[in-house]
Amino acid sequence: MSRPQTSHLFYQSRQRRPVLDQARGVYMWDVDGKRYLDGSSGAMVCNIGHSNPRVLEAMRKQMDKSTFGYRLHFETEPAELLAARTAARAPERLEKVFFVSGGSEAVESAIKLARQNAIAIGQAQRYKIISREPSYHGCTLGALALTGYAPLTAPFDPMMRPMPKIPAPRAYLDGLDPDDEATGRHYADMLEAKILSEGPETILAFIVEPIGGASTGALVPPKGYMQRIREICTRYGVLLIHDEVMTGGGRTGKFFAGEHWNVDPDILVISKGFAAGYAPLGAMIAHKDIVTNVLDNGGFLHGFTYAGNPLACSAGLAVLEEIERENLCQNAAETGALLKSELKKLMDRYSIIGDVRGEGLLLAFELVEDRASLRPLAKELNAFNELVDIAYENGLIIYSRRTRGGYSGDHFLIAPPMISTPDHVAEIIEGLDLSLRQFLDRISQQRARAS
């Protein structure tokens, strides 16, 4: 396929990329034959790699039976089986599964279920959902109201009901020790303070990514934080929602990231790696008592046309079986530890890297002007785009966002598929090393011209 002169598609910008030809394992090829290592699994989606033959075969078999069955007309075997397998993987008493097509839909479903539960139990005054800043929970207006990332939310503020925010626990920026329980308590107690200032009777839920995604760059919470927020939510009757859209499915070395702290939420959402890019799929997994309350009070007033699509669920089942068959959670933990140690070696070589963080194969590094103060690079350098483009030219795909309020600071997610090997790690580091050198050369040239 040749690239048409005019594209009728549009996304975030006018930038165009090469036309994709094929993808296998951790690699992708454009129509000109250039190979790219998918160092970010797309948008942290392709957890088991591309074109897995067993997943494709499972989808073909389902296609021979049916590709669609409307949820109000039929139950389907793939949806029922995947719901059972998902509930078995979930924390205790999170036994009820509601399928969707993506992460934003999963978050929308969670907040609507939480609200309908409050009404069902006679607590209709609860409607506020506390989240963190920075954070990202989706692009629909309901999920966006929970998002703490001004470049994405500001244009739509007049269309949304503002929701309260607390600071994300970025201990590295605040000069605090993340391994000290006092640090975890410091940040978690901000949640209690916000609940009290807003009025506990009005607070419906607190939503949190157990390990941060794009907005905070694989932020791992300080010691004791996750346990403390669970205690606070329980004390005030606030539902705890774990946003595992990015972390769920084994990427951090556990199937759900909340398992790292043995902390159970009341509602959990998952997508991205759930079907690993083979089909649009996500899920909300809820405590059975919450679902019972809502169903007994007139039913769940919410739904999507493609919820529980049998083809998508057959893909999800096959992906889950692949994760278990190949022990990919353990591989994510082991290969991720190697990749993190190699990223820290890069940090030793490049003073521009101010922090390396993350867990398993959800890792990030942050660029700074000065490591001692962690002062960010000048935003005019546009580092979060420039380094991504340089790496892309070098055949390495990485993912970036701006760390400080979305307007400055630059971090880069390194999250290759969970099938990655030590050889792939070496290739990623080689590509990053080359790309960082070229990026620094460009900065030097720009500053020389400016002077």
Side-chain angles (χ1 to χ4, degrees), residues 92-378:
E92 187 177 3
R93 296 175 69 88
L94 270 68
E95 300 176 6
K96 298 298 182 180
V97 178
F98 184 86
F99 289 121
V100 297
S101 297
S104 298
E105 289 184 5
V107 171
E108 288 278 339
S109 302
I111 62 180
K112 284 188 174 180
L113 183 72
R115 172 61 181 165
Q116 290 177 59
N117 176 69
I119 294 170
I121 63 176
Q123 297 181 7
Q125 72 276 15
R126 292 186 186 266
Y127 69 92
K128 299 175 186 174
I129 299 176
I130 300 173
S131 58
R132 306 192 304 188
E133 197 164 21
S135 65
Y136 180 73
H137 296 290
C139 64
T140 55
L141 288 179
L144 203 60
L146 311 179
T147 291
Y149 202 80
L152 297 178
T153 60
F156 310 104
D157 282 344
M159 304 170 69
M160 299 185 292
R161 178 186 287 273
M163 288 291 169
K165 307 286 192 299
I166 61 172
R170 296 186 293 177
Y172 74 102
L173 285 182
D174 295 333
L176 300 175
D177 181 3
D179 296 321
D180 186 345
E181 286 198 12
T183 301
R185 178 175 289 269
H186 165 73
Y187 288 106
D189 285 352
M190 293 178 183
L191 172 61
E192 183 170 36
K194 181 61 72 174
I195 291 171
L196 292 173
S197 68
E198 294 284 337
E201 72 284 356
T202 70
I203 305 301
L204 177 62
F206 175 54
I207 187 167
V208 62
E209 294 172 291
I211 295 175
S215 63
T216 55
L219 180 70
V220 178
K223 186 175 181 180
Y225 178 83
M226 293 297 292
Q227 296 90 336
R228 177 70 172 161
I229 62 171
R230 175 69 273 183
E231 293 169 4
I232 291 168
C233 286
T234 300
R235 180 181 310 140
Y236 293 99
V238 172
L239 295 180
L240 177 60
I241 302 172
H242 279 186
D243 181 344
E244 298 238 19
V245 167
M246 190 176 293
T247 53
R251 175 158 292 284
T252 70
K254 303 285 188 181
F255 193 82
F256 291 115
E259 296 174 32
H260 289 286
W261 301 277
N262 295 316
V263 172
D264 294 346
D266 301 296
I267 302 174
L268 183 154
V269 295
I270 183 175
S271 186
K272 291 189 180 283
F274 194 34
Y278 290 85
L281 182 66
M284 169 183 65
I285 313 164
H287 194 291
K288 63 179 184 178
D289 291 349
I290 295 174
V291 175
T292 297
N293 292 339
V294 172
L295 296 184
D296 288 349
N297 195 52
F300 188 29
L301 307 176
H302 179 67
F304 298 99
T305 299
Y306 293 99
N309 176 270
L311 184 57
C313 288
S314 70
L317 266 173
V319 167
L320 180 55
E321 289 169 0
E322 196 69 10
I323 290 170
E324 293 173 347
R325 179 190 298 111
E326 301 299 322
N327 204 9
L328 294 184
C329 292
Q330 182 175 338
N331 190 65
E334 294 174 354
T335 306
L338 172 63
L339 179 55
K340 190 174 184 179
S341 70
E342 293 298 318
L343 288 172
K344 288 185 174 180
K345 290 177 185 176
L346 272 186
M347 183 176 176
D348 290 339
R349 296 203 295 274
Y350 292 98
S351 61
I352 196 172
I353 300 177
D355 191 49
V356 170
R357 54 185 177 266
E359 193 69 44
L361 283 172
L362 181 60
L363 301 171
F365 63 91
E366 185 166 342
L367 298 186
V368 296
E369 185 71 52
D370 174 65
R371 187 182 290 174
S373 66
L374 295 180
R375 187 173 78 254
L377 291 173

